[in-house]
Every structure is written in C-alpha cells, then in structure tokens.
C-alpha cells in the first residue's frame, strides 16, 4: 500500500491541514492500530472500505464515507 500526503487547494487551505491518499491492495488480515492525532477527518473510500475490529473482537466494515471527530482512543483497522 502507498500513502501520500498532498497540499490542500488554496480555497480550503485555511481550514484543511492536508489531503492524503492510500492506494494499492490490502490483502491479508493484519489490523493496524490508528491512534488519535487531534484532527477530525473526512474519509472517502473509493475502493473497498476498511474493516474495523471492535473491542468485543467483532469485525465491521466501515461505510463508504464517514466523518471522524476527536478520537478518544485507538482504532484497529485493516484494508478491505
């Protein structure tokens, strides 16, 4: 998988810190712990959504798009 950060367009630069893309194939069943970074995010899955492992151990698919507010703890995610 390839992660890239991009400068936001000038029209939104005052309120958008960065844009990022993640491309490639996920494969496997590895979950990575995503830690809070103090920033809200708008996530748009243009490919397969990620899977989220809940504290109970259950696995849920993320929606195609979601708004993530201030996180209070880590989230275990794996590519679809």
């Amino acid at each position: 998988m390839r992660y890239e950060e991009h400068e936001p367009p000038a029209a939104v630069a005052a309120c958008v810190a960065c844009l990022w893309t993640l491309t490639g194939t996920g494969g496997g069943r590895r979950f990575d712990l995503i830690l809070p970074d103090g920033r809200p995010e708008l996530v748009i899955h243009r490919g397969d959504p990620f899977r989220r492992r809940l504290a109970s151990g259950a696995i849920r698919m993320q929606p195609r798009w979601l708004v993530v507010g201030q996180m209070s703890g880590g989230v275990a995610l794996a590519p679809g």
Side-chain angles (χ1 to χ4, degrees), residues 3 5 18 20 34-41 68-73:
Y3 173 85
E5 288 192 9
C18 76
W20 56 268
I34 308 302
L35 298 173
D37 63 4
R39 294 185 173 143
E41 295 184 2
V68 180
Q70 180 61 44
M71 294 170 50
S72 60

